């Protein structure tokens, strides 16, 4: 494999190797939010995960004016994961979704985050995503998302315009995503790579 290359002897160090590990520590589960079931005195199913301003690292990529804020997409992801584990199917439809209050986590702040599911598989189940900050003497859980979730695909939208037709109609007004995220950054939204999904924006007056 080294044919044609010059060769030479080199002097190796005479001192003992330090055997110091230089690899970066990776987060368990790749920094994902992993729910675990908890025992509860209420009939609803309760799943929980501990979160902090920088743990998992995914949370730190969604900030408002420098403060970590739990994203709506994270609430949806946790709800879908909890329902899929509870109902035994990933085919789910969210309805009546609302976000009554944001969860902001400052440096060194942490909280228990729970997904609470009521009802049973086969019928729409009310759910809520709530949190309790560590050290909160009031013991008050605060809701960050709520709605209903049902087994089965989402209801069809009818005869509305397809995505391909919509993109074709707005193709002349495409905007690169970089400019869009710069506007958000100037407005105080700090989004890391995990939250930068948009590649191209298509727009028109009123759309």
């Amino acid at each position: 494999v080294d044919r044609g290359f010059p060769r030479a002897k080199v002097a190796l160090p005479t001192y003992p190797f330090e055997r110091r590990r230089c690899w970066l520590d990776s987060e368990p589960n790749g920094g994902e939010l992993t729910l675990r079931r908890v025992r509860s005195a209420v009939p609803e199913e309760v799943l929980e995960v501990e979160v902090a301003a920088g743990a998992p690292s995914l949370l730190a990529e969604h900030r408002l004016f420098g403060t970590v804020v739990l994203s709506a997409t994270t609430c949806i992801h946790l709800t879908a994961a909890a329902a899929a584990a509870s109902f035994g199917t990933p085919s789910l439809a969210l309805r009546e979704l609302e976000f009554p209050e944001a969860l902001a986590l400052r440096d060194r702040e942490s909280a228990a985050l729970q997904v609470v599911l009521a009802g049973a598989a086969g019928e729409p189940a009310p759910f809520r995503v709530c949190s309790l900050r560590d050290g909160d003497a009031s013991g008050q859980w605060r809701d960050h998302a709520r709605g209903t979730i049902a087994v089965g695909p989402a209801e069809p939208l009818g005869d509305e315009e397809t995505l391909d037709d919509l993109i074709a109609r707005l193709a002349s007004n495409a905007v690169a995503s970089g400019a869009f995220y710069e506007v958000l950054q100037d407005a105080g939204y700090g989004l890391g790579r995990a939250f930068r999904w948009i590649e191209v924006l298509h727009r028109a007056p009123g759309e």
Side-chain angles (χ1 to χ4, degrees):
V1 295
D2 60 348
R3 180 178 299 174
F5 293 93
R7 304 173 183 83
K9 292 183 177 181
V10 296
L12 294 176
T14 57
Y15 56 85
F17 290 102
E18 294 186 25
R19 301 185 184 277
R20 185 175 58 182
R21 186 177 184 273
C22 297
W23 296 103
L24 295 174
D25 291 322
S26 60
E27 290 183 282
N29 302 319
E32 296 179 1
L33 291 163
T34 304
L35 292 164
R36 61 178 180 85
R37 284 187 172 89
V38 296
R39 292 193 298 176
S40 172
V42 297
E44 293 90 349
E45 185 165 9
V46 181
L47 297 95
E48 182 176 296
V49 62
E50 289 288 333
V51 297
S57 58
L58 173 71
L59 297 184
E61 296 193 42
H62 190 275
R63 296 175 179 267
L64 184 58
F65 299 107
T67 300
V68 172
V69 177
L70 184 72
S71 69
T73 52
T74 300
C75 290
I76 294 172
H77 168 75
L78 289 174
T79 301
S86 178
F87 300 155
T89 174
S91 182
L92 303 162
L94 286 171
R95 301 169 184 166
E96 303 168 356
L97 185 61
E98 59 182 63
F99 304 94
E101 182 179 341
L103 171 60
L105 293 168
R106 293 174 176 80
D107 291 343
R108 294 184 295 278
E109 280 191 327
S110 58
L113 191 63
Q114 290 188 348
V115 180
V116 182
L117 293 170
E123 59 186 44
F127 75 87
R128 62 191 183 104
V129 179
C130 53
S131 73
L132 177 65
R133 295 180 185 275
D134 291 345
D136 186 348
S138 70
Q140 180 180 4
W141 291 82
R142 308 189 75 87
D143 286 357
H144 306 295
R146 56 183 175 232
T148 58
I149 191 164
V151 174
E155 297 177 0
L157 298 177
D159 298 329
E160 296 188 7
E161 192 173 15
T162 66
L163 179 59
D164 290 340
D165 292 339
L166 184 63
I167 291 176
R169 181 167 60 81
L170 303 178
S172 60
N173 293 311
V175 179
S177 62
F180 170 71
Y181 287 116
E182 286 179 6
V183 171
L184 289 183
Q185 188 74 33
D186 293 340
Y189 292 90
L191 301 178
R193 293 179 63 183
F195 289 95
R196 296 195 175 208
W197 318 309
I198 297 174
E199 297 179 358
V200 179
L201 286 172
H202 301 270
R203 65 180 183 179
E207 297 182 88

